[in-house]
Amino acid sequence: MKHVLESVESQFEMFQILDENGKVVNKDAMPDLSDDNLKELMRRMVYTRILDQRSMALNRQGRLGFYAPTAGQEASQLGSHFALETEDFVLPGYRDVPQLIWHGLPLYQAFLFSKGHFHGNQMPEGVNALSPQIIIGAQYTQTAGVALGMKKRGKKSVAITYTGDGGTSQGDFYEGINFAGAFGAPAIFVVQNNYFAISVPVEKQTKAKTLAQKAVAAGIEGIQVDGMDVLAVYAATKNARERAINSEGPTLIETLTYRYGPHTTAGDDPTRYRTEELDNEWEKKDPLVRFRKFLEGKNLWSEEEENKVIEEAKDDIKQAIKKADGYPKQKVTELISHMFEELPMNLEEQMEEYKEKESK
Amino acid sequence: MAQMTMIQAITDALRTELKNDENVLVFGEDVGQNGGVFRATEGLQKEFGEDRVFDTPLAESAIGGLSIGLALQGFRPVPEIQFFGFVYEAMDSINGQMARIRYRSGDTRHAPITIRSPFGGGVHTPELHADSLEGLIAQQPGIKVVIPSTPKDAKGLLISAIRDNDPVMFLEHMKLYRSFRDEVPEEEYTIELGKADVKREGKDVTIISYGAMVHSALKAAEDLEKNNVEAEVIDLRTVSPIDIDTILESVQKTNRVVFVQEAQRQAGVAAHVISEIQERAILHLEAPILRVTAPDTVYSFSQAEEVWLPNHKDIVEKVNEVINF
């Protein structure tokens, strides 16, 4: 038995391109990205780091509601998203708002999602995505369906979804990857392993040495990636996408990453379950630090450029929160009208009742 | 017109919609080449191909998730859950997901999904095959629950369900699959969802029912007639939403109501319907509304179905109580 485990685990060694110092350690795997692309990747990561800082602050001021911090996961979230095309469909988890924003969801709507307003979930026409999924695992089985739908339509696109390390314990996680495998559907399943599901360390989720090896149960490709290395995450996703649109089926990608903040802003205190040493260790692996070093080495990035992005982000956020704050309040009649195409009799009655209340 | 069993009428409705709309997809466990464990999808894969009618791995939750994903790509999924007792596996994908998708997306996404599933007692099935769990889905906003009792209703309601652009749970009583034949029009037709049907007119008491209990109620009505009690039998056909208008019209005429369901007393939809009637028509009532239901135990071991399931005698008894109140 031991022999089997070791030989399985040896198939899932961490894929890395940039080390902590921004040095290329795997030249052959270097993705084909133009200088502009590289800069755009950095711009998005910096912007998203600022978005996280501002979101935390806005949440503390009571101007945002539900918020799941993203700092530390920029390479994992944005490197994978950068490998997508507009026609690809994104099924995010609750921490995956940044991917939605870069896929086309306006920032003020992301804020409305946080505040609990239906307009935050109204994807603009052409933005192929669902709003963040709260039920951990549900996005995985739905992704198998979207991907099968694309295959049936003959589209050259993929469905991509995200969950965390804890989410790999759910039944829907296994069912989702297994269905996609059985149907040969063009799906990319990303597991963002930040080592903790709220307070529970990944060792308590499973005895498996890697999460990527769970792909074996579905008979699909699996890869473990350094989730703090944006080039590695991009390359792995790009590869999975190419395989998917060439009818080679789905891929499971595990990104090894870390959230510097709490699980959510709803009262979670990470000092109860994480040590300072651990935090420090992961800060050394910061995806922004290493990619900044890499770009500076190529003369593609400067402090000036970074500050410009920071200012731009802060301005956008200011405008967006203003717009979100000023957005019309929800009415019960609106909620009723979003239930069905044609209202059943009970809702028709209740619609009249609330119309009257709202007119007073 | 043709003589059809309910299962044939269901197959006919599926064939009609597979033909009418290329977005209709039929899938589930053993629904493809095998034609379904009850032959409901017999011949459909052969006629429409594996791309339209296909088997899935054995996992109800993912069948639900698959349906949602396919709906997001513009398909009109008609998945099957082999027995409704297995709905617990798919509860999140149904109540937690597809029923909410139009609302949670602010009307920008929708799920035109019809889930077919057999249920119901009297045929000695093993554990968790026959349970009446319609009450669980009826409590979820965003999904309709349809339960036909005749071949003709089954075809018209299933075509309507498939064409509906919101999710519908279509529950097929196993005992009714082949228990009798009925005239069913060969051409396509629809029956509006949310509309009850008066299966027998009467002036003394209203018996409201659905599923297999409609036939027990009709049998009870025949017995009652011998004692000069004219019972009106209403078949709800859709148990969520409820057709209150048809019920009220009858109650105002008969002033007495008995509600009959196969589900346990604490389950089903009886309590909801009775509450609606008392809110809207209490001044028309000459007696309390009584219920005929199964006892509040777990569904019976198959050998005990005969003593456990409600039957026409129980109905006659309750009607007499209401008449003599």
Side-chain angles (χ1 to χ4, degrees):
Chain A
M1 281 308 273
K2 201 175 175 201
H3 177 72
V4 173
L5 277 179
E6 276 172 10
S7 77
V8 168
E9 283 152 11
S10 69
Q11 303 299 310
F12 295 93
E13 275 171 25
M14 186 182 79
F15 172 62
Q16 189 187 48
I17 294 176
L18 282 186
D19 71 6
E20 289 172 27
N21 300 312
K23 287 224 170 64
V24 176
V25 293
N26 188 348
K27 227 175 177 174
D28 296 343
M30 189 60 128
D32 184 22
L33 285 167
S34 68
D35 288 353
D36 282 350
N37 282 161
L38 292 170
K39 291 177 75 159
E40 176 61 16
L41 252 181
M42 185 63 187
R43 195 182 77 82
R44 291 185 183 189
M45 289 207 291
V46 172
Y47 192 110
T48 305
R49 178 65 60 88
I50 298 301
L51 178 61
D52 182 72
Q53 289 168 3
R54 293 300 305 141
S55 298
M56 297 282 280
L58 288 164
N59 172 275
R60 277 194 291 268
Q61 293 163 20
R63 290 177 80 188
L64 282 182
F66 173 77
Y67 182 68
T70 60
Q73 298 194 187
E74 292 86 355
S76 170
Q77 296 181 320
L78 307 178
S80 57
H81 180 265
F82 204 67
L84 305 180
E85 301 292 335
T86 314
E87 59 267 28
D88 295 336
F89 200 105
V90 182
L91 293 98
Y94 52 77
R95 201 181 301 282
D96 303 308
V97 176
Q99 294 95 307
L100 283 181
I101 292 169
W102 295 109
H103 211 53
L105 178 70
L107 202 50
Y108 84 96
Q109 285 187 272
F111 288 156
L112 283 172
F113 159 75
S114 165
K115 288 160 77 84
H117 192 299
F118 69 78
H119 183 53
N121 289 2
Q122 291 178 313
M123 292 293 147
E125 186 88 34
V127 176
N128 295 309
L130 281 186
S131 49
Q133 178 58 249
I134 298 296
I135 302 303
I136 296 170
Q139 69 272 36
Y140 262 55
T141 57
Q142 293 171 16
T143 295
V146 173
L148 179 59
M150 288 170 165
K151 185 182 174 187
K152 285 185 179 294
R153 297 281 186 216
K155 291 180 181 173
K156 288 281 177 202
S157 56
V158 301
I160 187 168
T161 189
Y162 298 83
T163 192
D165 39 299
T168 61
S169 300
Q170 289 279 6
D172 271 3
F173 166 82
Y174 290 100
E175 292 185 23
I177 61 175
N178 187 56
F179 266 52
F183 289 117
I188 302 174
F189 296 99
V190 182
V191 172
Q192 301 189 87
N193 178 2
N194 63 26
Y195 296 87
F196 287 90
I198 307 188
S199 67
V200 179
V202 68
E203 295 77 27
K204 290 193 176 170
Q205 296 293 340
T206 177
K207 190 86 167 61
K209 276 268 166 51
T210 72
L211 298 179
Q213 76 196 64
K214 291 182 180 249
V216 174
I220 67 172
E221 288 294 335
I223 180 170
Q224 187 186 63
V225 184
D226 181 349
M228 307 301 259
D229 171 1
V230 73
L231 293 180
V233 176
Y234 172 83
T237 316
K238 186 86 180 162
N239 186 261
R241 188 179 187 278
E242 268 158 32
R243 292 186 56 259
I245 61 174
N246 291 322
S247 311
E248 289 170 57
T251 304
L252 181 71
I253 301 174
E254 175 192 9
T255 62
L256 300 175
T257 182
Y258 202 70
R259 60 170 155 85
Y260 295 141
H263 165 68
T264 69
T265 51
D268 176 43
D269 172 12
T271 63
R272 291 168 72 103
Y273 53 85
R274 281 194 325 217
T275 59
E276 216 181 308
E277 293 87 67
L278 193 63
D279 284 345
N280 291 340
E281 188 192 316
W282 278 94
E283 289 204 5
K284 281 186 213 141
K285 296 181 179 172
D286 190 321
L288 272 66
V289 171
R290 77 173 74 173
F291 197 51
R292 189 184 290 122
K293 281 182 184 161
F294 168 76
L295 291 180
E296 282 170 353
K298 291 170 76 87
N299 270 329
L300 287 173
W301 199 251
S302 64
E303 205 182 325
E304 197 188 342
E305 276 173 287
E306 180 142 342
N307 286 334
K308 220 178 100 189
V309 179
I310 293 170
E311 287 317 307
E312 184 199 353
K314 284 182 177 167
D315 277 354
D316 288 357
I317 292 162
K318 222 179 273 172
Q319 300 295 327
I321 194 71
K322 218 170 135 187
K323 192 165 174 185
D325 283 344
Y327 205 79
K329 286 196 174 120
Q330 298 165 103
K331 293 175 181 165
V332 175
T333 49
E334 286 174 301
L335 304 182
I336 290 174
S337 75
H338 293 162
M339 285 300 303
F340 292 96
E341 184 177 55
E342 281 177 58
L343 290 186
M345 178 231 163
N346 56 326
L347 283 179
E348 249 176 45
E349 273 187 7
Q350 291 163 36
M351 180 70 110
E352 289 311 310
E353 200 181 305
Y354 281 93
K355 258 187 196 162
E356 209 182 304
K357 277 191 190 178
E358 289 166 8
S359 69
K360 277 174 193 164
Chain B
M1 289 287 205
Q3 288 284 319
M4 287 188 202
T5 60
M6 191 158 102
I7 201 98
Q8 288 169 330
I10 287 165
T11 313
D12 195 41
L14 291 170
R15 182 181 292 111
T16 303
E17 288 312 279
L18 278 161
K19 217 178 278 178
N20 273 333
D21 183 348
E22 60 180 18
N23 290 316
V24 171
L25 301 175
V26 172
F27 53 91
E29 296 157 6
D30 309 291
V31 305
Q33 194 179 5
N34 191 45
V37 291
F38 291 103
R39 304 287 169 260
T41 53
E42 177 99 317
L44 296 180
Q45 188 181 71
K46 205 173 168 198
E47 190 175 344
F48 297 96
E50 260 189 82
D51 205 37
R52 305 283 309 283
V53 181
F54 54 94
D55 291 322
T56 66
L58 202 167
E60 287 77 17
S61 183
I63 290 173
L66 195 75
S67 308
I68 295 166
L70 287 165
L72 289 167
Q73 288 296 306
F75 287 100
R76 194 169 283 280
V78 188
E80 178 182 297
I81 294 179
Q82 201 160 64
F83 294 95
F84 198 47
F86 312 163
V87 73
Y88 293 117
E89 298 291 334
M91 221 38 192
D92 177 59
S93 32
I94 298 167
N95 282 13
Q97 303 292 328
M98 66 179 77
R100 303 165 62 101
I101 198 161
R102 188 186 286 276
Y103 175 90
R104 78 184 288 264
S105 68
D107 211 5
T108 59
R109 307 265 184 265
H110 66 285
I113 299 168
T114 302
I115 304 171
R116 291 183 39 252
S117 190
F119 79 108
V123 289
H124 299 299
T125 49
E127 196 171 12
L128 264 170
H129 283 55
D131 293 53
S132 288
L133 304 174
E134 65 279 5
L136 299 177
I137 313 293
Q139 287 212 359
Q140 173 59 46
I143 181 165
K144 302 181 184 92
V145 184
V146 175
I147 305 181
S149 70
T150 69
K152 191 178 170 189
D153 284 353
K155 180 175 171 181
L157 288 167
L158 183 52
I159 292 176
S160 291
I162 294 172
R163 293 182 186 178
D164 198 285
N165 284 330
D166 289 297
V168 177
M169 179 62 73
F170 192 85
L171 297 175
E172 304 164 1
H173 199 291
M174 280 184 271
K175 200 181 172 188
L176 301 180
Y177 267 156
R178 292 187 175 84
S179 59
F180 67 101
R181 285 173 189 275
D182 195 7
E183 291 285 330
V184 176
E186 276 167 87
E187 66 275 14
E188 64 177 74
Y189 61 94
T190 57
I191 294 171
E192 196 182 336
L193 304 186
K195 287 275 176 261
D197 185 39
V198 179
K199 287 278 192 285
R200 184 187 205 276
E201 289 193 24
K203 58 176 174 38
D204 299 322
V205 61
T206 301
I207 305 175
I208 307 171
S209 190
Y210 58 96
M213 285 298 121
V214 171
H215 300 280
S216 302
L218 288 169
K219 202 168 168 195
E222 277 174 35
D223 288 357
L224 288 162
E225 196 178 8
K226 291 171 197 154
N227 294 322
N228 293 319
V229 173
E230 291 294 334
E232 180 145 302
V233 177
I234 295 181
D235 179 358
L236 286 177
R237 298 199 294 197
T238 299
V239 301
S240 180
I242 294 294
D243 179 359
I244 289 298
D245 292 343
T246 300
I247 293 170
L248 290 183
E249 204 176 306
S250 178
V251 172
Q252 283 164 18
K253 179 170 70 175
T254 64
N255 313 114
R256 289 177 169 81
V257 182
V258 169
F259 194 100
V260 185
Q261 68 181 19
E262 183 174 315
Q264 293 90 334
R265 196 174 172 86
Q266 70 185 59
V269 299
H272 170 65
V273 178
I274 291 167
S275 177
E276 290 284 344
I277 298 170
Q278 75 82 17
E279 273 187 41
R280 294 162 195 268
I282 197 157
L283 296 178
H284 291 280
L285 292 173
E286 297 284 350
I289 302 169
L290 298 185
R291 283 178 279 178
V292 176
T293 71
D296 285 331
T297 70
V298 168
Y299 189 90
S300 79
F301 288 96
S302 63
Q303 290 299 303
E305 276 184 328
E306 216 173 305
V307 290
W308 190 84
L309 284 170
N311 60 35
H312 69 283
K313 288 181 196 153
D314 301 319
I315 301 171
V316 169
E317 207 174 291
K318 283 282 182 227
V319 168
N320 285 331
E321 265 184 64
V322 164
I323 297 278
N324 300 318
F325 178 77

